[in-house]
């Protein structure tokens, strides 16, 4: 078999045609998917010449081309869209500072617009903005507060959406001790408001301790640093929980856990993350993501699949090399971003196709066996990503800010990249690779994916289709039933051994969702994108318990979704941005 033949699913082809492939001025597509991967491979391989004038970039291009066309690894969407093209902006994640002045705020609006134009997503902390009704000295008027400025960012994003590659995405974080925190929590309770934002409360350990002890908690004006009001921490916590129960927002960032893992605390503390929460960054820092499709990391032997650790190791090494090159290949949208991003050289290699892998290995997602396997997989994964970054450091040098990093101690690891691993949602690249997204369970066993394209094509999970056919269960009636339900758990004539393996996000208890997230987090440098699904009938107390579980088990944040809690619940799975 020619190793460079590209097999794409019909939905992958549609997705690429809609947004990724090059078009001429008349809007006609002028490259094939193969051309796209060739363009990206060539562009990223050529970076090797910066480090070695004699580098064999032709072989490197071939290796990168195969890495992507085998669907074993894909970089984040902007890299596929823009590499080797005029824009050449290849990074998905940015965090920008928002200062407490009109000039500063609108400078950031402009910077965010430039980033959105190129396909990147932006995160901000609005915590420095003075609260509503605080003094504005220039006019002797009254301040309008963070939430009103978020609306400005939202509208600017909306305008750019008209002409951009994809819908712009933002994350707004606000510290739990900001006086406007209650407005913030409820800012998205009405559907259709702040649609280009995900919102998250930055929760500190001090706050969580106050919740646990039912103690008072001060809200502080960031301008004056004075306590404006003291509230019961528990009441505020319950309000966050209640709102998340109601329609999934806000999410929560455990900001102290995030900063405990900040590799460069001397350069500043982390206040925000990218839009989907998996990439904490310093203000003016950006990061490239990429994901290994672990469902491809198996071999078929004696009638069953086994993990192929050797292929996984090779893939990780190549992918780390690829992502490190992206940092040099990218045209950074702002000079400040270029300085910090090249100084820290953060990359976020993660996995996708995890649920598919478990199915291949015959391991139920919600089982203790899955927990043990996840631990083994992620330990191996991050160990090899670290090794690859150390190897690059020996060839290319450590990241320039290394001496200011937590690694600069005697016998500390010599990394090329300040962070190596992140688990991304892989909302679109998992469609291109035709695998389950990130570390999420299957969304449904059969469904119609309306991603990017209205009226996307119907899909049935290929492994389920195989098993159902093999066991003589496959009929039009079954297909119709599965499509209607999404899940197979209530279909009486499906045997239990199949039901155990083919679970969907809604069939899995919130506790198992959190367990998987926290096991992954143990090994991942940045954060883990995960939605904790709840059944419709869950109560706010159920949600509260799971927030506490996430906090206690070392997660860096939590995002929940209760079934049917939003009117516009899409059957499609795309990044919630
Ligand atoms: P993809 O699969 O397209 O590479 P992911 O779903 O993994 O992207 O999301 C990774 C990150 O990419 C997000 O956290 C965000 O920073 C950025 N991103 C995702 N979707 C968008 C979007 N529509 N607009 C801008 N940035 C986005």
């Amino acid at each position: 078999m020619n190793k460079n033949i590209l097999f794409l699913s019909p939905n992958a082809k549609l997705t690429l045609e809609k947004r990724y492939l090059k078009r001429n001025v008349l809007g006609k597509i002028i490259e094939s998917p193969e051309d796209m991967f060739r363009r990206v491979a060539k562009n990223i391989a050529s970076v090797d010449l910066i480090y070695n004038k004699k580098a064999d970039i032709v072989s490197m291009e071939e290796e990168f081309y195969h890495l992507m066309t085998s669907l074993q690894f894909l970089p984040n969407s902007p890299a596929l869209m823009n590499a080797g093209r005029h824009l050449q902006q290849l990074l998905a994640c940015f965090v920008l500072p928002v200062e407490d002045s009109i000039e500063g705020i609108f400078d950031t609006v402009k910077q965010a617009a430039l980033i959105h134009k190129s396909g990147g997503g932006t995160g901000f902390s609005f915590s420095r903005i003075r609260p509503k009704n605080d003094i504005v000295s220039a006019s002797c008027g009254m301040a309008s507060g963070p939430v009103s400025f978020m609306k400005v960012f939202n509208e600017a994003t909306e305008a750019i959406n008209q002409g951009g590659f994809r819908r712009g995405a933002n994350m707004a974080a606000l510290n739990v001790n900001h006086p406007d925190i209650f407005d913030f929590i409820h800012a998205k309770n009405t559907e259709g408001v702040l649609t280009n934002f995900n919102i998250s409360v930055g929760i500190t350990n001090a706050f969580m301790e106050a919740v646990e002890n039912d103690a008072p908690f001060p809200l502080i004006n960031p301008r004056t640093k004075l306590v404006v009001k003291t509230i019961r921490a528990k009441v505020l916590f319950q309000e966050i929980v209640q709102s998340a129960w109601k329609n999934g927002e806000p999410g929560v960032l455990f900001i102290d856990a995030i900063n405990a893992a900040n590799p460069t605390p001397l350069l500043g503390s982390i206040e925000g993350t990218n839009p989907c929460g998996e990439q904490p960054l310093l203000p003016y820092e950006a990061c490239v993501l990429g994901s290994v499709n672990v469902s491809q990391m198996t071999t078929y032997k004696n009638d069953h699949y086994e993990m192929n650790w050797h292929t996984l190791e090779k893939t990780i090494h190549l992918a780390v090399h690829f992502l490190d090159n992206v940092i040099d290949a990218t045209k950074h949208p702002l000079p400040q971003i270029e300085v910090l991003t090249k100084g820290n050289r953060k990359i976020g290699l993660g996995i996708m196709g995890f649920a598919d892998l478990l199915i291949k290995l015959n391991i139920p997602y919600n089982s203790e066996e899955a927990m043990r396997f996840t631990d083994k997989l992620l330990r191996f994964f991050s160990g090899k990503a670290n090794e690859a970054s150390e190897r690059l450091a020996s060839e290319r040098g450590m990241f320039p800010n290394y001496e200011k990093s937590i690694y600069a101690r005697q016998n500390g690891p010599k990394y090329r990249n300040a962070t190596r691993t992140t688990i991304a949602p892989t909302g679109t690249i998992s469609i291109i690779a035709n695998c389950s997204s990130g570390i999420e369970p299957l969304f449904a066993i059969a469904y119609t994916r309306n991603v990017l394209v209205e009226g996307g094509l119907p899909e049935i999970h290929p492994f389920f289709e195989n098993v159902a056919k093999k066991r003589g269960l496959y009929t039009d009636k079954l297909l119709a039933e599965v499509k209607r339900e999404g899940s197979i758990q209530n279909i009486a004539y499906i045997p239990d051994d199949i039901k155990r393996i083919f679970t969907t996000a809604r069939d899995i208890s919130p506790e198992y969702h959190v367990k998987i997230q926290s096991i992954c987090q143990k090994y991942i440098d940045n954060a883990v994108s995960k939605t904790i699904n709840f059944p419709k009938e869950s109560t706010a107390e159920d949600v509260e318990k799971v927030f506490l579980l996430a906090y206690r088990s070392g997660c860096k944040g939590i995002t929940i979704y209760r079934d049917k809690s939003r009117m516009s619940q899409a059957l499609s799975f795309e990044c919630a941005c």
Side-chain angles (χ1 to χ4, degrees):
M1 193 175 81
N2 182 336
K3 71 174 195 173
N4 280 344
I5 291 185
L6 173 62
F7 294 100
L8 289 174
S9 73
N11 268 331
K13 279 190 196 142
L14 270 176
T15 304
L16 291 179
E17 283 162 13
K18 184 81 178 167
R19 296 278 168 91
Y20 292 67
L21 303 180
K22 219 158 131 179
R23 290 168 184 267
N24 66 13
V25 279
L26 301 172
K28 186 169 173 286
I29 293 174
I30 53 166
E31 71 177 358
S32 66
E34 284 87 348
D35 296 336
M36 176 194 79
F37 286 120
R38 180 60 68 189
R39 159 169 66 71
V40 178
K42 197 183 188 71
N43 185 259
I44 304 304
S46 68
V47 170
D48 281 9
L49 289 175
I50 300 177
Y51 299 104
N52 174 7
K53 292 275 167 290
K54 294 192 184 130
D56 180 0
I57 56 168
V58 176
S59 309
M60 203 65 238
E61 176 186 323
E62 251 356 272
E63 286 198 53
F64 285 162
Y65 182 73
H66 173 64
L67 182 69
M68 292 183 286
T69 52
S70 60
L71 304 177
Q72 291 183 332
F73 161 84
L74 290 177
N76 53 209
S77 288
L80 294 174
M81 291 166 170
N82 300 335
R85 294 177 68 180
H86 174 67
L87 256 176
Q88 194 64 28
Q89 196 299 98
L90 313 182
L91 314 180
C93 317
F94 297 79
V95 166
L96 295 172
V98 188
E99 301 300 337
D100 182 33
S101 71
I102 292 297
E103 208 184 337
I105 291 168
F106 282 85
D107 278 348
T108 309
V109 172
K110 177 179 171 188
Q111 293 167 349
L114 293 173
I115 292 169
H116 291 164
K117 202 175 99 172
S118 67
T122 43
F124 321 88
S125 163
F126 285 87
S127 303
R128 287 182 219 167
I129 296 184
R130 71 193 68 183
K132 201 169 66 183
N133 300 334
D134 194 24
I135 294 165
V136 177
S137 52
S139 62
C140 297
M142 287 203 289
S144 50
V147 174
S148 70
F149 288 113
M150 281 162 57
K151 292 180 184 156
V152 175
F153 281 80
N154 192 67
E155 287 310 306
T157 308
E158 195 60 43
I160 301 211
N161 282 344
Q162 314 297 323
F165 281 100
R166 49 185 187 168
R167 263 190 69 201
N170 299 296
M171 165 71 90
L174 196 73
N175 275 350
V176 70
N177 70 356
H178 193 286
D180 288 4
I181 193 67
F182 289 96
D183 288 352
F184 181 80
I185 292 167
H186 299 296
K188 289 196 69 181
N189 282 168
T190 313
E191 280 201 42
V193 173
L194 291 172
T195 47
N196 300 309
F197 267 97
N198 289 332
I199 61 171
S200 272
V201 178
I203 280 188
T204 54
N205 290 346
F207 175 74
M208 289 311 286
E209 276 157 30
V211 171
E212 282 167 341
N213 301 324
D214 197 4
F217 185 75
L219 300 185
I220 297 172
N221 181 334
R223 183 180 64 84
T224 59
K225 316 277 182 268
L226 297 174
V227 175
V228 171
K229 196 175 175 187
T230 299
I231 50 142
R232 254 179 83 196
K234 215 171 182 164
V235 170
L236 174 49
F237 184 61
Q238 277 162 359
E239 199 135 340
I240 295 169
V241 166
Q242 185 73 31
S243 180
W245 172 86
K246 199 168 160 217
N247 68 355
E249 296 216 59
V252 155
L253 298 173
F254 296 116
I255 208 76
D256 289 331
I258 286 177
N259 276 295
N262 177 0
T264 55
L266 293 179
L267 298 180
S269 58
I270 296 177
E271 304 165 5
T273 70
N274 69 331
C276 304
E278 73 279 9
Q279 189 61 50
L281 292 167
L282 296 168
Y284 284 131
E285 193 174 23
C287 180
V288 57
L289 306 179
S291 301
V292 173
N293 177 359
V294 285
S295 73
Q296 295 266 17
M297 303 291 129
T298 58
T299 13
Y300 194 66
K301 244 196 217 158
N302 306 330
D303 230 16
H304 68 282
Y305 285 101
E306 282 176 13
M307 195 67 201
N308 187 335
W309 299 101
H310 177 65
T311 306
L312 178 58
E313 177 174 350
K314 263 180 43 192
T315 309
I316 293 169
H317 272 266
L318 202 52
V320 167
H321 182 160
F322 184 106
L323 294 180
D324 190 61
N325 281 17
V326 169
I327 296 167
D328 298 308
T330 196
K331 226 190 248 173
H332 294 268
L334 296 168
Q336 304 92 310
I337 289 178
E338 178 159 12
V339 170
L340 199 50
T341 305
K342 285 192 170 163
N344 285 350
R345 302 192 69 87
K346 281 183 185 169
I347 58 169
L349 183 66
I351 63 174
M352 58 183 168
F354 173 72
D356 288 343
L357 174 66
L358 291 182
I359 293 171
K360 272 187 161 177
L361 299 177
N362 214 25
I363 303 175
Y365 190 101
N366 49 352
S367 68
E368 288 312 305
E369 193 186 352
M371 304 306 129
R372 283 193 296 277
F373 175 74
T374 308
D375 197 285
K376 184 174 172 192
L377 176 69
L378 269 290
R379 182 195 298 265
F380 181 88
F381 188 86
S382 79
K384 295 300 166 193
N386 290 346
E387 239 175 65
S389 184
E390 289 195 71
R391 193 168 85 185
L392 275 183
S394 70
E395 295 162 6
R396 302 178 166 186
M398 285 94 79
F399 59 95
N401 292 331
Y402 182 85
E403 287 308 325
K404 293 184 199 134
S405 81
I406 55 170
Y407 305 118
R409 53 177 195 264
Q410 223 184 355
N411 299 325
K414 310 272 188 272
Y415 290 131
R416 174 71 178 154
N417 313 92
T419 65
R420 282 76 52 203
T421 48
T422 302
I423 294 189
T426 72
T428 324
I429 60 169
S430 65
I431 299 172
I432 300 171
N434 197 21
C435 64
S436 57
S437 51
I439 56 159
E440 297 292 356
L442 302 187
F443 174 75
I445 308 294
Y447 59 101
T448 301
R449 245 207 260 233
N450 281 324
V451 178
L452 296 178
V453 199
E454 277 300 314
L457 305 174
E459 285 180 24
I460 178 156
H461 195 280
F463 303 165
F464 177 73
E465 188 175 345
N466 279 347
V467 172
K469 282 184 175 159
K470 224 170 165 178
R471 307 268 288 259
L473 298 163
Y474 195 83
T475 57
D476 286 348
K477 178 174 160 273
L478 173 72
L479 184 59
E481 235 172 310
V482 180
K483 259 199 210 155
R484 196 179 52 242
E485 299 287 320
S487 162
I488 58 169
Q489 300 304 315
N490 295 327
I491 304 181
Y493 59 89
I494 294 192
D496 281 352
D497 64 317
I498 299 183
K499 282 185 179 163
R500 268 200 303 276
I501 299 298
F502 290 93
T503 46
T504 67
R506 279 171 292 169
D507 303 327
I508 291 163
S509 72
E511 287 73 18
Y512 265 119
H513 279 282
V514 174
K515 271 188 180 180
I516 288 279
Q517 179 179 340
S518 64
I519 294 171
C520 292
Q521 186 60 76
K522 222 164 72 176
Y523 298 107
I524 293 289
D525 300 321
N526 295 301
V528 173
S529 167
K530 180 89 190 70
T531 302
I532 310 300
N533 290 80
F534 282 80
K536 181 173 177 289
E537 334 48 79
S538 308
T539 62
E541 289 72 43
D542 298 331
V543 174
E544 179 174 343
K545 271 191 216 138
V546 163
F547 270 40
L548 291 172
L549 177 65
Y551 169 65
R552 289 177 188 141
S553 57
C555 294
K556 289 189 180 158
I558 180 163
T559 305
I560 70 131
Y561 183 70
R562 188 171 56 88
D563 198 23
K564 311 225 163 41
S565 66
R566 275 184 212 151
M567 277 186 334
S568 57
Q569 178 164 311
L571 241 198
S572 60
F573 182 82
E574 197 185 6
C575 162
C577 325

